[in-house]
mmCIF file of all heavy atoms in Angstrom:
data_model
loop_
_atom_site.group_PDB
_atom_site.id
_atom_site.type_symbol
_atom_site.label_atom_id
_atom_site.label_comp_id
_atom_site.label_asym_id
_atom_site.label_seq_id
_atom_site.Cartn_x
_atom_site.Cartn_y
_atom_site.Cartn_z
ATOM 1 N N ALA A 14 88.761 88.749 163.135
ATOM 2 C CA ALA A 14 88.177 87.419 163.269
ATOM 3 C C ALA A 14 89.266 86.341 163.287
ATOM 4 O O ALA A 14 90.404 86.580 162.866
ATOM 5 C CB ALA A 14 87.226 87.161 162.121
ATOM 6 N N ILE A 15 88.882 85.181 163.780
ATOM 7 C CA ILE A 15 89.689 83.990 163.555
ATOM 8 C C ILE A 15 88.807 82.977 162.853
ATOM 9 O O ILE A 15 87.568 83.031 162.941
ATOM 10 C CB ILE A 15 90.303 83.406 164.839
ATOM 11 C CG1 ILE A 15 89.248 82.962 165.834
ATOM 12 C CG2 ILE A 15 91.260 84.390 165.490
ATOM 13 C CD1 ILE A 15 89.833 82.174 166.996
ATOM 14 N N LEU A 16 89.440 82.053 162.155
ATOM 15 C CA LEU A 16 88.730 81.055 161.360
ATOM 16 C C LEU A 16 89.169 79.664 161.791
ATOM 17 O O LEU A 16 90.349 79.372 161.814
ATOM 18 C CB LEU A 16 89.032 81.270 159.868
ATOM 19 C CG LEU A 16 88.583 80.206 158.888
ATOM 20 C CD1 LEU A 16 87.066 80.076 158.858
ATOM 21 C CD2 LEU A 16 89.118 80.528 157.484
ATOM 22 N N PHE A 17 88.203 78.845 162.157
ATOM 23 C CA PHE A 17 88.423 77.414 162.386
ATOM 24 C C PHE A 17 87.896 76.687 161.168
ATOM 25 O O PHE A 17 86.716 76.802 160.825
ATOM 26 C CB PHE A 17 87.681 76.944 163.647
ATOM 27 C CG PHE A 17 88.233 77.552 164.907
ATOM 28 C CD1 PHE A 17 87.486 78.476 165.595
ATOM 29 C CD2 PHE A 17 89.481 77.204 165.366
ATOM 30 C CE1 PHE A 17 87.989 79.047 166.764
ATOM 31 C CE2 PHE A 17 89.996 77.765 166.528
ATOM 32 C CZ PHE A 17 89.228 78.692 167.234
ATOM 33 N N ARG A 18 88.782 75.973 160.503
ATOM 34 C CA ARG A 18 88.414 75.393 159.213
ATOM 35 C C ARG A 18 88.438 73.872 159.224
ATOM 36 O O ARG A 18 89.215 73.249 159.889
ATOM 37 C CB ARG A 18 89.354 75.892 158.134
ATOM 38 C CG ARG A 18 90.787 75.412 158.298
ATOM 39 C CD ARG A 18 91.602 75.549 157.079
ATOM 40 N NE ARG A 18 91.142 74.629 156.030
ATOM 41 C CZ ARG A 18 91.650 74.561 154.835
ATOM 42 N NH1 ARG A 18 92.641 75.338 154.486
ATOM 43 N NH2 ARG A 18 91.203 73.710 153.955
ATOM 44 N N GLY A 19 87.513 73.348 158.446
ATOM 45 C CA GLY A 19 87.544 71.927 158.130
ATOM 46 C C GLY A 19 88.386 71.746 156.880
ATOM 47 O O GLY A 19 88.699 72.700 156.171
ATOM 48 N N SER A 20 88.780 70.496 156.646
ATOM 49 C CA SER A 20 89.578 70.200 155.472
ATOM 50 C C SER A 20 88.967 69.028 154.711
ATOM 51 O O SER A 20 88.611 68.008 155.313
ATOM 52 C CB SER A 20 91.017 69.810 155.869
ATOM 53 O OG SER A 20 91.665 70.905 156.448
ATOM 54 N N PHE A 21 88.794 69.228 153.448
ATOM 55 C CA PHE A 21 88.316 68.185 152.545
ATOM 56 C C PHE A 21 88.843 68.527 151.165
ATOM 57 O O PHE A 21 89.273 69.673 150.932
ATOM 58 C CB PHE A 21 86.772 68.093 152.565
ATOM 59 C CG PHE A 21 86.073 69.393 152.273
ATOM 60 C CD1 PHE A 21 85.794 69.772 150.973
ATOM 61 C CD2 PHE A 21 85.682 70.231 153.318
ATOM 62 C CE1 PHE A 21 85.150 70.986 150.704
ATOM 63 C CE2 PHE A 21 85.033 71.422 153.049
ATOM 64 C CZ PHE A 21 84.774 71.799 151.741
ATOM 65 N N PRO A 22 88.863 67.577 150.263
ATOM 66 C CA PRO A 22 89.386 67.889 148.911
ATOM 67 C C PRO A 22 88.652 69.088 148.304
ATOM 68 O O PRO A 22 87.423 69.136 148.273
ATOM 69 C CB PRO A 22 89.090 66.613 148.137
ATOM 70 C CG PRO A 22 89.065 65.526 149.159
ATOM 71 C CD PRO A 22 88.464 66.162 150.384
ATOM 72 N N GLY A 23 89.397 70.091 147.913
ATOM 73 C CA GLY A 23 88.812 71.291 147.326
ATOM 74 C C GLY A 23 88.520 72.396 148.318
ATOM 75 O O GLY A 23 88.126 73.495 147.914
ATOM 76 N N SER A 24 88.733 72.141 149.613
ATOM 77 C CA SER A 24 88.390 73.164 150.618
ATOM 78 C C SER A 24 89.296 74.396 150.548
ATOM 79 O O SER A 24 88.880 75.480 150.946
ATOM 80 C CB SER A 24 88.408 72.569 152.028
ATOM 81 O OG SER A 24 89.706 72.090 152.347
ATOM 82 N N GLY A 25 90.494 74.234 150.027
ATOM 83 C CA GLY A 25 91.414 75.341 149.923
ATOM 84 C C GLY A 25 90.864 76.510 149.121
ATOM 85 O O GLY A 25 91.060 77.675 149.459
ATOM 86 N N ALA A 26 90.115 76.192 148.059
ATOM 87 C CA ALA A 26 89.504 77.261 147.235
ATOM 88 C C ALA A 26 88.479 78.063 148.037
ATOM 89 O O ALA A 26 88.384 79.282 147.886
ATOM 90 C CB ALA A 26 88.865 76.659 145.993
ATOM 91 N N TYR A 27 87.742 77.374 148.903
ATOM 92 C CA TYR A 27 86.759 78.081 149.749
ATOM 93 C C TYR A 27 87.448 78.935 150.780
ATOM 94 O O TYR A 27 87.017 80.062 151.056
ATOM 95 C CB TYR A 27 85.815 77.077 150.433
ATOM 96 C CG TYR A 27 84.920 76.369 149.470
ATOM 97 C CD1 TYR A 27 85.157 75.032 149.127
ATOM 98 C CD2 TYR A 27 83.838 77.024 148.866
ATOM 99 C CE1 TYR A 27 84.340 74.374 148.236
ATOM 100 C CE2 TYR A 27 83.010 76.373 147.976
ATOM 101 C CZ TYR A 27 83.265 75.039 147.665
ATOM 102 O OH TYR A 27 82.446 74.390 146.781
ATOM 103 N N ILE A 28 88.556 78.441 151.346
ATOM 104 C CA ILE A 28 89.303 79.239 152.316
ATOM 105 C C ILE A 28 89.854 80.482 151.645
ATOM 106 O O ILE A 28 89.813 81.579 152.212
ATOM 107 C CB ILE A 28 90.427 78.389 152.962
ATOM 108 C CG1 ILE A 28 89.827 77.196 153.730
ATOM 109 C CG2 ILE A 28 91.304 79.243 153.868
ATOM 110 C CD1 ILE A 28 88.837 77.571 154.818
ATOM 111 N N ASP A 29 90.351 80.317 150.417
ATOM 112 C CA ASP A 29 90.827 81.496 149.664
ATOM 113 C C ASP A 29 89.705 82.513 149.455
ATOM 114 O O ASP A 29 89.908 83.720 149.603
ATOM 115 C CB ASP A 29 91.386 81.074 148.301
ATOM 116 C CG ASP A 29 92.680 80.286 148.420
ATOM 117 O OD1 ASP A 29 93.324 80.317 149.494
ATOM 118 O OD2 ASP A 29 93.073 79.634 147.404
ATOM 119 N N LEU A 30 88.512 82.030 149.122
ATOM 120 C CA LEU A 30 87.357 82.921 148.929
ATOM 121 C C LEU A 30 86.982 83.611 150.235
ATOM 122 O O LEU A 30 86.730 84.819 150.252
ATOM 123 C CB LEU A 30 86.170 82.129 148.387
ATOM 124 C CG LEU A 30 84.881 82.898 148.158
ATOM 125 C CD1 LEU A 30 85.059 84.005 147.140
ATOM 126 C CD2 LEU A 30 83.782 81.958 147.713
ATOM 127 N N ILE A 31 87.000 82.875 151.324
ATOM 128 C CA ILE A 31 86.664 83.458 152.629
ATOM 129 C C ILE A 31 87.676 84.549 152.987
ATOM 130 O O ILE A 31 87.295 85.662 153.359
ATOM 131 C CB ILE A 31 86.618 82.370 153.721
ATOM 132 C CG1 ILE A 31 85.417 81.445 153.480
ATOM 133 C CG2 ILE A 31 86.577 82.996 155.116
ATOM 134 C CD1 ILE A 31 85.453 80.174 154.325
ATOM 135 N N THR A 32 88.965 84.249 152.866
ATOM 136 C CA THR A 32 89.982 85.223 153.259
ATOM 137 C C THR A 32 89.950 86.458 152.366
ATOM 138 O O THR A 32 90.085 87.584 152.845
ATOM 139 C CB THR A 32 91.385 84.596 153.281
ATOM 140 O OG1 THR A 32 91.694 84.051 152.008
ATOM 141 C CG2 THR A 32 91.486 83.510 154.324
ATOM 142 N N SER A 33 89.746 86.267 151.061
ATOM 143 C CA SER A 33 89.693 87.441 150.178
ATOM 144 C C SER A 33 88.434 88.280 150.440
ATOM 145 O O SER A 33 88.500 89.509 150.410
ATOM 146 C CB SER A 33 89.794 87.031 148.711
ATOM 147 O OG SER A 33 88.651 86.313 148.296
ATOM 148 N N SER A 34 87.321 87.637 150.733
ATOM 149 C CA SER A 34 86.093 88.374 151.037
ATOM 150 C C SER A 34 86.235 89.174 152.311
ATOM 151 O O SER A 34 85.775 90.334 152.395
ATOM 152 C CB SER A 34 84.908 87.422 151.155
ATOM 153 O OG SER A 34 84.601 86.850 149.913
ATOM 154 N N LEU A 35 86.885 88.569 153.320
ATOM 155 C CA LEU A 35 87.094 89.291 154.580
ATOM 156 C C LEU A 35 87.995 90.495 154.364
ATOM 157 O O LEU A 35 87.741 91.591 154.871
ATOM 158 C CB LEU A 35 87.675 88.355 155.638
ATOM 159 C CG LEU A 35 86.774 87.232 156.124
ATOM 160 C CD1 LEU A 35 87.541 86.295 157.025
ATOM 161 C CD2 LEU A 35 85.539 87.773 156.831
ATOM 162 N N LYS A 36 89.052 90.290 153.579
ATOM 163 C CA LYS A 36 89.982 91.395 153.295
ATOM 164 C C LYS A 36 89.287 92.529 152.596
ATOM 165 O O LYS A 36 89.483 93.698 152.937
ATOM 166 C CB LYS A 36 91.147 90.862 152.457
ATOM 167 C CG LYS A 36 92.266 91.856 152.278
ATOM 168 C CD LYS A 36 93.435 91.243 151.528
ATOM 169 C CE LYS A 36 94.557 92.234 151.409
ATOM 170 N NZ LYS A 36 95.730 91.668 150.739
ATOM 171 N N LYS A 37 88.419 92.221 151.604
ATOM 172 C CA LYS A 37 87.675 93.247 150.889
ATOM 173 C C LYS A 37 86.756 94.024 151.837
ATOM 174 O O LYS A 37 86.501 95.211 151.623
ATOM 175 C CB LYS A 37 86.802 92.626 149.795
ATOM 176 C CG LYS A 37 87.569 92.176 148.581
ATOM 177 C CD LYS A 37 86.601 91.529 147.597
ATOM 178 C CE LYS A 37 87.328 90.794 146.490
ATOM 179 N NZ LYS A 37 86.396 90.026 145.613
ATOM 180 N N SER A 38 86.290 93.357 152.888
ATOM 181 C CA SER A 38 85.397 93.990 153.849
ATOM 182 C C SER A 38 86.167 94.741 154.942
ATOM 183 O O SER A 38 85.554 95.288 155.862
ATOM 184 C CB SER A 38 84.502 92.941 154.509
ATOM 185 O OG SER A 38 83.662 92.354 153.546
ATOM 186 N N GLY A 39 87.489 94.694 154.880
ATOM 187 C CA GLY A 39 88.297 95.395 155.873
ATOM 188 C C GLY A 39 88.417 94.660 157.196
ATOM 189 O O GLY A 39 88.710 95.251 158.228
ATOM 190 N N ILE A 40 88.189 93.346 157.160
ATOM 191 C CA ILE A 40 88.268 92.532 158.370
ATOM 192 C C ILE A 40 89.619 91.847 158.427
ATOM 193 O O ILE A 40 90.019 91.179 157.485
ATOM 194 C CB ILE A 40 87.133 91.489 158.414
ATOM 195 C CG1 ILE A 40 85.770 92.210 158.439
ATOM 196 C CG2 ILE A 40 87.286 90.545 159.600
ATOM 197 C CD1 ILE A 40 84.588 91.321 158.241
ATOM 198 N N ALA A 41 90.327 92.052 159.528
ATOM 199 C CA ALA A 41 91.626 91.388 159.738
ATOM 200 C C ALA A 41 91.369 89.949 160.178
ATOM 201 O O ALA A 41 90.533 89.691 161.051
ATOM 202 C CB ALA A 41 92.420 92.129 160.781
ATOM 203 N N LEU A 42 92.104 89.039 159.616
ATOM 204 C CA LEU A 42 92.023 87.639 159.997
ATOM 205 C C LEU A 42 93.220 87.320 160.888
ATOM 206 O O LEU A 42 94.363 87.289 160.422
ATOM 207 C CB LEU A 42 91.986 86.746 158.752
ATOM 208 C CG LEU A 42 91.604 85.303 158.951
ATOM 209 C CD1 LEU A 42 90.236 85.167 159.635
ATOM 210 C CD2 LEU A 42 91.559 84.598 157.618
ATOM 211 N N ALA A 43 92.967 87.152 162.180
ATOM 212 C CA ALA A 43 94.023 86.947 163.157
ATOM 213 C C ALA A 43 94.632 85.552 163.100
ATOM 214 O O ALA A 43 95.650 85.323 163.725
ATOM 215 C CB ALA A 43 93.498 87.223 164.563
ATOM 216 N N GLY A 44 94.012 84.664 162.378
ATOM 217 C CA GLY A 44 94.566 83.333 162.238
ATOM 218 C C GLY A 44 93.571 82.370 161.643
ATOM 219 O O GLY A 44 92.362 82.554 161.735
ATOM 220 N N ILE A 45 94.125 81.341 161.023
ATOM 221 C CA ILE A 45 93.320 80.231 160.484
ATOM 222 C C ILE A 45 93.807 78.984 161.216
ATOM 223 O O ILE A 45 94.994 78.672 161.221
ATOM 224 C CB ILE A 45 93.521 80.068 158.967
ATOM 225 C CG1 ILE A 45 93.114 81.327 158.236
ATOM 226 C CG2 ILE A 45 92.725 78.868 158.462
ATOM 227 C CD1 ILE A 45 93.404 81.312 156.727
ATOM 228 N N PHE A 46 92.880 78.307 161.861
ATOM 229 C CA PHE A 46 93.219 77.152 162.708
ATOM 230 C C PHE A 46 92.457 75.920 162.221
ATOM 231 O O PHE A 46 91.318 76.032 161.763
ATOM 232 C CB PHE A 46 92.859 77.437 164.153
ATOM 233 C CG PHE A 46 93.558 78.645 164.705
ATOM 234 C CD1 PHE A 46 92.980 79.901 164.634
ATOM 235 C CD2 PHE A 46 94.809 78.522 165.287
ATOM 236 C CE1 PHE A 46 93.618 81.011 165.137
ATOM 237 C CE2 PHE A 46 95.465 79.634 165.790
ATOM 238 C CZ PHE A 46 94.874 80.886 165.720
ATOM 239 N N LYS A 47 93.097 74.780 162.385
ATOM 240 C CA LYS A 47 92.448 73.518 162.077
ATOM 241 C C LYS A 47 91.273 73.351 163.007
ATOM 242 O O LYS A 47 91.360 73.557 164.218
ATOM 243 C CB LYS A 47 93.450 72.374 162.275
ATOM 244 C CG LYS A 47 92.904 71.032 161.927
ATOM 245 C CD LYS A 47 93.986 69.974 162.088
ATOM 246 C CE LYS A 47 93.400 68.598 161.752
ATOM 247 N NZ LYS A 47 94.378 67.552 161.996
#
C-alpha cells in the first residue's frame, strides 16, 4: 500500500499506529506521502 496523509497536531501518533498495524498484518508500505 501507499499512504496519503493529512497533518495536524497529534497526527504523527496516528500515522505510527497505522504503520505498525499494517506491518503486523504483513502489508508493505511503499511510501507515505503528503
Side-chain angles (χ1 to χ4, degrees):
I15 62 171
L16 170 63
F17 294 109
R18 66 163 292 178
S20 294
F21 54 87
S24 61
Y27 292 106
I28 298 302
D29 291 344
L30 178 62
I31 291 167
T32 57
S33 67
S34 292
L35 293 173
K36 188 175 182 178
K37 285 178 193 173
S38 297
I40 297 170
L42 192 56
I45 300 174
F46 302 90
K47 183 178 179 184

